[in-house]
Amino acid sequence: MRIIHCADLHLDSKMESNLDKEQALTRRSELIETYERMVDYAVSNQVRAILISGDLFDKTHIRKDVKKRVVERIVSNPEIDFYYLKGNHDRCDFMEAGIDEIPENFHMFNDAGWTSYTCDDVVITGIEISGANASTLPQRLVLDSANVNIVMLHGQQSDYDGKDGAEIINTTALKGKFIDYLALGHIHKYMYQQLDDRGVYCYPGCLEGRGFDETGDKGFMLLEIEDGHIESEFIPFAKRRLHEIEVKVTADMDVQATINRAKNLLYDVDPQDLIKFVITGERELDDELDIFRFVRAFENKYFFVKCYDRTKTLIDYDSFQYDKSLKGEFVRLVQAQDMDEDEKAKIIELGIKAIMGEDIE
């Protein structure tokens, strides 16, 4: 028996934080397309059930077409059971999208108490966490040790109760509860840990990365259940990956040398991916990094590219010791201040640009 565990799809997210209008529309469409591809994968691989551990959607108002496409994949695949647990972003009743009744293969949970479903040889149990029920969830969970038990929750993993109990999952309190697999959602990075001697807990991460805080492989978990034992595997599945790539430079490197070094770091980057370059290291005071030229070298080769200059400015203070110009006076004045050397360098760089009449960004 095979089961897919996914979470944090955030369908219909606007995707506008980094991208231009056309790119954002493309990525917005790709979110729902990846959901559809995942269901097609389930069909092709004889998956019995799909667990969605929260944040299927991104906001309250979802386009009708997106809701319809989600429902269509559920209705058209009655051999697959869908278990949907709402997350903190889920605010819409998407099953209203043009159907007369809830399909038999679609199952939900609520915040009133633990709800359990039997799927062949597995018992799937879940509850929506709220401020009212969070502190008592572990005590109220009762499972049969003879079953293969999967528990679904959406929230922040923590070994203690936070100030506000909502969205906090106390994994320590769930130990010894006969859980074989704790299917979590909310953290957008893949995480797989031992829960206790019997079970594990897992965040599959999001299905598609939406920003540069969600870099690397994104996908879902594929569970293989046989003779009461669960084997699990992370399946990378995103249409595109996001990469944050640090390019370390030295003071003697010009823009072309920086570009060449960056090229050598792109061995595992696909042309359809998104890249954020972060340039670090040191450069001379009079040597300004041409970010526009750097980005132009890559932007037509990849779906999206941006770059941040995080280099530190080298300043030869001795060369300004006897300089009688306004620049010399300014450098000596800043050098005498009681502040961090990096801060001094930045102030001097900006000040000299102003003295020379250059634009300051």
Side-chain angles (χ1 to χ4, degrees), residues 279-290:
I279 302 179
T280 63
E282 298 176 335
R283 59 184 174 82
E284 301 290 350
L285 177 61
D286 296 329
D287 184 17
E288 184 173 0
L289 182 62
D290 189 343

Side-chain angles (χ1 to χ4, degrees), residues 8 17 82 106 125 127 132 148 162 190 282 285 292 305 315 317 319 326 352-353:
D8 301 288
S17 58
F82 291 76
F106 181 73
T125 303
I127 189 172
V148 176
Y190 168 67
E282 298 176 335
L285 177 61
F292 180 76
V305 176
I315 298 177
Y317 290 109
S319 66
L326 182 57
I352 289 180
K353 281 185 177 181

Side-chain angles (χ1 to χ4, degrees), residues 16 24 36 46 84 89 99 117-118 124 144 160 170 219 232 250 258 261 284 295 319 331 338 349 351 354:
E16 294 176 345
E36 292 171 329
Q46 295 80 51
Y84 169 51
H89 280 262
I99 63 172
Y117 300 96
T118 299
I124 299 169
D144 187 337
Y160 58 90
N170 189 337
S232 58
T250 55
T258 303
R261 176 161 292 183
E284 301 290 350
V295 171
S319 66
V331 170
D338 182 18
E349 180 182 6

Side-chain angles (χ1 to χ4, degrees), residues 23-234:
Q23 290 171 323
L25 286 173
T26 297
R27 289 296 289 143
R28 197 176 186 185
S29 295
E30 288 173 352
L31 292 182
I32 181 64
E33 290 166 3
T34 298
Y35 159 80
E36 292 171 329
R37 287 193 299 111
M38 181 185 69
V39 178
D40 292 342
Y41 174 97
V43 173
S44 299
N45 290 273
Q46 295 80 51
V47 169
R48 177 67 181 82
I50 295 178
L51 316 181
I52 305 172
S53 295
D55 287 353
L56 175 60
F57 298 102
D58 190 58
K59 55 189 183 301
T60 302
H61 301 292
I62 307 298
R63 287 176 297 171
K64 184 177 180 179
D65 176 63
V66 173
K67 292 190 288 186
K68 182 179 179 182
R69 289 168 68 175
V70 172
V71 173
E72 284 177 346
R73 275 299 195 275
I74 296 171
V75 174
S76 62
N77 293 286
E79 74 282 6
I80 299 175
D81 279 311
F82 291 76
Y83 297 87
Y84 169 51
L85 180 114
K86 285 185 178 180
N88 54 299
H89 280 262
D90 290 314
R91 294 291 183 269
C92 73
D93 294 323
F94 71 95
M95 274 295 171
E96 296 175 350
I99 63 172
D100 296 326
E101 59 183 24
I102 303 294
E104 292 184 1
N105 63 327
F106 181 73
H107 314 283
M108 290 189 66
F109 304 87
N110 57 56
D111 62 359
W114 290 99
T115 301
S116 294
Y117 300 96
T118 299
C119 181
D120 295 347
D121 298 328
V122 176
V123 176
I124 299 169
T125 303
I127 189 172
E128 294 174 7
I129 303 177
S130 68
N133 67 24
S135 62
T136 61
L137 290 184
Q139 300 93 304
R140 296 163 59 193
L141 176 61
V142 179
L143 302 174
D144 187 337
S145 63
N147 294 330
V148 176
N149 292 307
I150 294 178
V151 173
M152 296 176 64
L153 290 171
H154 183 93
Q156 172 69 49
Q157 185 273 336
S158 177
D159 290 335
Y160 58 90
D161 291 328
K163 184 176 180 181
D164 181 358
E167 300 181 20
I168 297 295
I169 299 172
N170 189 337
T171 50
T172 297
L174 291 170
K175 293 180 179 181
K177 290 288 184 176
F178 309 123
I179 298 172
D180 294 288
Y181 184 91
L182 182 55
L184 302 177
H186 187 63
I187 295 177
H188 291 190
K189 182 178 180 180
Y190 168 67
M191 182 187 300
Y192 184 92
Q193 299 286 340
Q194 200 70 34
L195 176 65
D196 55 22
D197 291 340
R198 172 164 172 160
V200 300
Y201 68 86
C202 178
Y203 287 95
C206 50
L207 203 55
E208 285 277 353
R210 295 178 299 145
F212 286 100
D213 55 343
E214 298 174 356
T215 58
D217 287 327
K218 301 299 175 185
F220 56 81
M221 294 297 291
L222 180 64
L223 311 184
E224 187 90 40
I225 305 168
E226 186 174 357
D227 297 329
H229 182 68
I230 300 178
E231 292 287 342
S232 58
E233 177 186 5
F234 176 74

